[in-house]
Amino acid sequence: MLAAGGLLVVGEAETVAAAMVAAIELRPAAVLVDVGLPDGNGIALARELTALPWRPRVVLTSTDPDAATEDDVRRSGAAAFIAKDEMPNAPLGRLLAAG
């Protein structure tokens, strides 16, 4: 879906641990993070990602539309939270673009 929307996908990770390794190796400008990960919390991961030296832009997502509050988004440093059922119509390109 991301590539079909014109976004370049440089990597994928299924866990918090793998995401941090991939982020450090690939240095993405933006990251789409699921709130519910098998080995941890995507909100905490977003906080770690946005603290990296190049400060990638993070957008949180989940199948649960109530998985992250506005306060969670703000405290994590993420740019936004989008429920997965809203993603096809969400302005992901704009949300993930640095700036």
Side-chain angles (χ1 to χ4, degrees):
M1 178 176 59
L2 297 174
L7 298 170
L8 174 63
V9 177
V10 297
E12 294 182 37
E14 294 186 16
T15 64
V16 169
M20 285 306 296
V21 169
I24 291 166
E25 180 180 310
L26 299 169
R27 295 180 61 95
V31 184
L32 184 63
V33 175
D34 198 308
V35 172
L37 295 167
D39 65 338
N41 180 302
I43 296 168
L45 173 59
R47 194 173 310 116
E48 289 183 52
L49 290 168
T50 59
L52 291 169
W54 64 93
R55 301 196 39 85
R57 190 152 172 96
V58 175
V59 172
L60 295 166
T61 190
S62 176
T63 55
D64 176 0
D66 299 318
T69 65
E70 287 183 29
D71 195 44
D72 290 331
V73 172
R74 182 185 51 76
R75 284 188 316 215
S76 73
F81 169 78
I82 300 173
K84 286 187 178 180
D85 65 347
E86 296 174 12
M87 284 178 61
N89 298 316
L92 280 176
R94 180 180 56 78
L95 290 170
L96 288 169

